[in-house]
């Protein structure tokens, strides 16, 4: 049967975008500017963002997409994670890079990259997800770092970023096995050895910036129905960020509408995840597929 060709296209564009990011993102750009330009560049090259571009500075680890009022600038001593994705017809390539100008964090970045490479070489000979986690964890420990235990890689399916199987960043017994034709992302998150080593919902209670539609039905409220149809047409079940729809629905009004859809269990919000001790976290990620006995890195 094989893997749909759109995955290959998405992977190629994601790979090209990595080169673009490494060339174009630099201090002291704002998070908003970085995310917006990446999404515009993906569109300009004929793709669509698979999810809102995540910009995670230091302890901010995942699920943060800058909004219009975010004036945060990246600094030379920051550890900046850029998590982005491309989709064609819902077939997703998910990838991430971390940048930092600080010499203090070069070993963290390099080790995270090496953990991803170690994971990839394990998949080739032993596609048990627990063994992949073990290799990631061992690579981290060799250099005195630790992994984020409650964030995982994941299988991908059409219009679904997190499909059935998780690929942990720690050893876990009795984990599912990756199979032929599975498309999946491996994403080690590493932090300092002295850190807590897990993420929590943003303790500052900042706004939720990433959502997805989980049920499409009529509410009987015209404004909500219009928003649901708008999300469905633009995203189906793929994640979105309020920034994308602010013009259409109003920057002030939209969060209220989304809160109402969340209350009705039609929309799900993904809170920003922060390392529990607020230690800096690095992340590298590739999307790949198992084709028979060979592993193809898509991104
Ligand atoms: Co991912």
């Amino acid at each position: 049967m094989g893997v749909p060709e759109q995955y290959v296209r998405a992977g190629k564009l994601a790979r090209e975008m990595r080169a673009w990011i490494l060339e174009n993102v630099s201090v002291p750009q704002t998070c908003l500017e970085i995310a917006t330009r990446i999404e515009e560049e993906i569109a300009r090259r004929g793709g669509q963002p698979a999810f809102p571009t995540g910009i995670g500075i230091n302890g901010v680890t995942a699920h943060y997409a800058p909004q219009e009022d975010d004036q945060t600038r990246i600094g030379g001593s920051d550890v900046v994670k850029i998590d982005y994705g491309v989709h064609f017809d819902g077939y997703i390539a998910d990838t991430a890079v971390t940048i930092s100008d600080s010499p203090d964090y070069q070993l963290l970045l390099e080790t995270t990259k090496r953990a991803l490479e170690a994971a990839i070489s394990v998949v080739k000979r032993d596609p048990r997800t627990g063994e992949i986690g073990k290799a990631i964890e061992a690579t981290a420990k060799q250099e005195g770092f630790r992994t984020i235990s409650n964030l995982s890689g994941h299988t991908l399916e059409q219009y679904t970023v997190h499909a059935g199987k998780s690929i942990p960043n720690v050893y876990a017994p009795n984990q599912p096995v990756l199979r032929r034709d599975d498309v999946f992302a491996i994403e080690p998150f590493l932090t300092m050895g002295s850190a807590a080593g897990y993420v929590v919902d943003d303790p500052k209670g900042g706004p939720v910036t990433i959502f997805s539609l989980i049920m499409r039905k009529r509410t009987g409220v015209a404004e909500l129905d219009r928003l649901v149809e708008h999300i469905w047409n633009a995203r189906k079940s793929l994640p979105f960020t309020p920034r994308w729809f602010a013009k259409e629905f109003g920057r002030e009004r939209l969060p209220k509408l989304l809160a109402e859809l969340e209350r009705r269990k039609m929309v799900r919000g993904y809170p920003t995840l922060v390392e529990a001790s607020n230690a800096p976290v690095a992340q590298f990620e590739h999307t790949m597929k198992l084709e028979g006995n060979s592993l193809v890195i898509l991104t």
Side-chain angles (χ1 to χ4, degrees):
M1 193 189 96
V3 163
E5 163 273 340
Q6 289 97 322
Y7 273 122
V8 178
R9 281 180 75 194
K12 180 169 180 280
L13 180 42
R15 194 162 62 237
E16 289 164 3
M17 283 304 301
R18 180 178 310 114
W20 185 91
I21 286 166
L22 296 176
E23 203 165 297
N24 288 278
V25 172
S26 62
V27 171
Q29 292 165 354
T30 65
C31 293
L32 176 63
E33 180 184 355
I34 296 166
T36 309
R37 286 183 66 204
I38 290 171
E39 289 158 10
E40 283 170 1
E41 190 63 23
I42 289 171
R44 201 182 68 76
R45 294 171 185 229
Q48 287 293 317
F51 47 83
T53 303
I55 311 287
I57 299 185
N58 303 328
V60 175
T61 305
H63 298 168
Y64 178 72
Q67 303 302 298
E68 284 98 335
D69 57 356
D70 187 338
Q71 281 154 22
T72 314
R73 290 183 182 280
I74 61 168
S77 59
D78 288 332
V79 174
V80 182
K81 295 164 287 304
I82 302 176
D83 188 357
Y84 64 100
V86 175
H87 85 92
F88 287 100
D89 304 328
Y91 296 102
I92 300 158
D94 179 1
T95 187
V97 290
T98 301
I99 55 173
S100 180
D101 290 345
S102 168
D104 295 348
Y105 297 123
Q106 294 314 309
L107 184 62
L108 175 66
L109 268 59
E110 273 164 36
T111 309
T112 308
K113 217 183 272 186
R114 261 203 287 127
L116 177 56
E117 284 158 14
I120 287 169
S121 59
V122 168
V123 188
K124 289 180 187 170
R125 54 185 160 79
D126 186 357
R128 288 180 295 173
T129 52
E131 296 305 309
I132 301 165
K134 188 174 162 183
I136 293 170
E137 201 178 13
T139 309
K141 279 188 177 157
Q142 272 165 20
E143 300 293 348
F145 297 118
R146 63 187 306 173
T147 60
I148 300 295
S149 59
N150 59 344
L151 285 176
S152 316
H154 46 93
T155 47
L156 294 147
E157 282 170 14
Q158 190 182 22
Y159 290 111
T160 307
V161 182
H162 285 249
K165 300 174 195 170
S166 291
I167 303 160
N169 287 315
V170 289
Y171 173 68
N174 305 320
Q175 290 292 308
V177 178
L178 295 165
R179 308 249 175 233
R180 186 194 177 107
D181 288 348
D182 270 349
V183 177
F184 52 94
I186 299 183
E187 49 183 323
F189 289 87
L190 267 62
T191 186
M192 311 316 279
S194 57
Y198 60 93
V199 289
V200 293
D201 289 358
D202 178 12
K204 287 186 193 150
V208 174
T209 63
I210 299 178
F211 297 85
S212 68
L213 188 65
I214 50 175
M215 191 191 290
R216 181 188 177 212
K217 65 170 186 189
R218 297 250 151 218
T219 63
V221 181
E223 200 181 16
L224 291 178
D225 288 346
R226 192 167 75 84
L227 176 57
V228 168
E229 283 316 287
H230 191 87
I231 297 169
W232 177 253
N233 290 330
R235 302 300 296 165
K236 306 263 187 295
S237 51
L238 289 175
F240 61 91
T241 188
R243 167 167 52 83
W244 292 346
F245 305 140
K247 230 180 244 157
E248 218 91 23
F249 292 89
R251 210 199 280 185
E252 303 283 305
R253 185 78 186 135
L254 187 52
K256 295 187 180 74
L257 297 175
L258 289 171
E260 180 55 26
L261 289 174
E262 228 184 321
R263 200 186 63 76
R264 292 171 185 247
K265 307 233 179 309
M266 295 172 66
V267 153
R268 181 178 162 193
Y270 303 85
T272 302
L273 298 173
V274 180
E275 204 280 326
S277 52
N278 207 21
V281 177
Q283 171 202 20
F284 284 90
E285 178 178 23
H286 273 309
T287 294
M288 55 206 94
K289 62 170 178 168
L290 273 172
E291 236 179 28
N293 288 328
S294 70
L295 182 74
V296 181
I297 314 280
L298 293 165
T299 50

